[in-house]
Amino acid sequence: MKPKAIFNWSSGKDSALALYKTLQDEKFEITTLLTSINKEFQRISMHGVHVSLLEKQAESLGFPLVKLELPKEPSMEEYRDIMESTMNHFKQQGVTHSVFGDIFLEDLRKYREDQLAAVGMQGIFPLWKNDTKNLIEEFLDLGFKTIVTCVNESYLDKSFAGRIIDQRFIEDLPENVDPCGENGEFHTFTFDGPIFKHPIGFDIGEIVKKTYPKPKPADNEENGDYVFWFCDLIANN
């Protein structure tokens, strides 16, 4: 019997490729997709995608969906408590592993593994330490289709929001931007590919600027706000 695992689904390209590789590997039984959403706005954290599209993704992928509802600006303690409660719930259902699409952020992986270890679970990272240029090329070669829903203005301007990722998009990225946006440069919504039963239909809405206050700066660091551009996607039939 295969070990049971949940899959941490962000709705974006790295999640889609990691899920594809996990299913191809056939070592785990994926029982559930788990997605963190902003409870107030009913949108996926950082990606800005409305839950209506997330639910369409889950239906097309053929997996049950659990939405981890978080307050607008959760503290680390609030996030930890909510996640621990959720993981304990899954553990009681026989789940032993949790799968992530992370690629090379060491601190993030350690944080995830520490939180899982606290409830007796293990993390799985199918994309870990793969070259991100190769990963995005593989993603496109497999026939996945994805659209940019959020860009960090520190790295990319407004014009990148709402673009479909293709070879031209990759070529247009500045040299300091990771091809998979692993440093948070951009986030995506994947709407078609080999793991989907059918494409996810949507219309492109307005592009919205949002600002978030930076933490109090240390000496010699700039103050100000983080600026993000979000491309709204509207579900259709």
Side-chain angles (χ1 to χ4, degrees):
M1 184 180 296
K2 298 178 185 177
K4 291 183 177 181
I6 58 168
F7 191 94
N8 293 269
W9 179 257
S10 72
S11 81
K13 57 179 176 38
D14 298 339
S15 276
L17 186 57
L19 179 57
Y20 172 84
K21 289 180 175 290
T22 303
L23 296 174
Q24 291 291 111
D25 196 37
E26 297 186 337
K27 289 184 179 179
F28 299 94
E29 176 192 346
I30 302 298
T31 65
T32 311
L33 303 179
L34 177 66
T35 305
S36 297
I37 66 169
N38 181 302
K39 185 176 182 178
E40 179 180 352
F41 298 110
Q42 290 295 294
R43 290 181 181 269
I44 301 171
S45 302
M46 287 313 302
H47 291 241
V49 175
H50 194 268
V51 294
S52 57
L53 282 165
L54 170 64
E55 289 164 353
K56 286 180 177 293
Q57 274 187 327
E59 185 275 326
S60 183
L61 291 167
F63 292 102
L65 171 68
V66 171
K67 290 172 282 190
L68 187 69
E69 295 191 330
L70 299 172
K72 186 176 180 180
E73 294 181 7
S75 66
M76 289 300 293
E77 291 77 14
E78 286 177 309
Y79 179 81
R80 184 181 62 245
D81 290 345
I82 294 170
M83 184 60 72
E84 183 175 339
S85 175
T86 302
M87 291 301 103
N88 277 320
H89 169 74
F90 284 123
K91 186 179 179 183
Q92 290 171 7
Q93 296 178 336
V95 174
T96 56
H97 293 75
S98 186
V99 187
F100 300 89
D102 301 319
I103 305 172
F104 60 67
L105 298 179
E106 299 278 0
D107 290 349
L108 181 57
R109 174 167 178 164
K110 184 179 186 307
Y111 175 80
R112 298 197 196 284
E113 290 180 326
D114 288 347
Q115 297 307 305
L116 289 170
V119 295
M121 294 175 63
Q122 296 180 19
I124 304 296
F125 301 83
L127 307 184
W128 191 249
K129 293 299 184 181
N130 279 253
D131 180 87
T132 50
K133 181 69 162 60
N134 292 339
L135 285 176
I136 194 63
E137 296 284 358
E138 180 182 7
F139 178 85
L140 296 176
D141 288 345
L142 286 168
F144 282 106
K145 297 179 181 179
T146 198
I147 183 171
V148 176
T149 58
C150 171
V151 297
N152 184 337
E153 195 180 65
S154 299
Y155 299 96
L156 296 169
D157 62 45
K158 176 183 178 181
S159 68
F160 283 87
R163 285 185 60 174
I164 302 292
I165 292 188
D166 53 14
Q167 197 61 44
R168 178 66 182 274
F169 176 91
I170 298 170
E171 293 169 359
D172 287 346
L173 290 175
E175 288 187 5
N176 66 323
V177 173
D178 181 78
C180 286
E182 178 70 351
N183 297 303
E185 298 98 327
F186 61 92
H187 300 284
T188 58
F189 174 78
T190 301
F191 56 91
D192 199 8
I195 56 178
F196 291 92
K197 298 174 185 174
H198 51 77
I200 312 302
F202 63 88
D203 296 315
I204 296 178
E206 62 180 333
I207 295 177
V208 179
K209 179 181 181 180
K210 290 189 177 293
T211 59
Y212 302 91
K214 290 182 179 179
K216 185 177 180 180
D219 292 343
N220 301 322
E221 288 187 5
E222 293 184 5
N223 202 348
D225 295 326
Y226 293 114
V227 178
F228 294 89
W229 292 97
F230 289 90
C231 177
D232 193 24
L233 304 181
I234 303 163
N236 66 32
N237 296 323

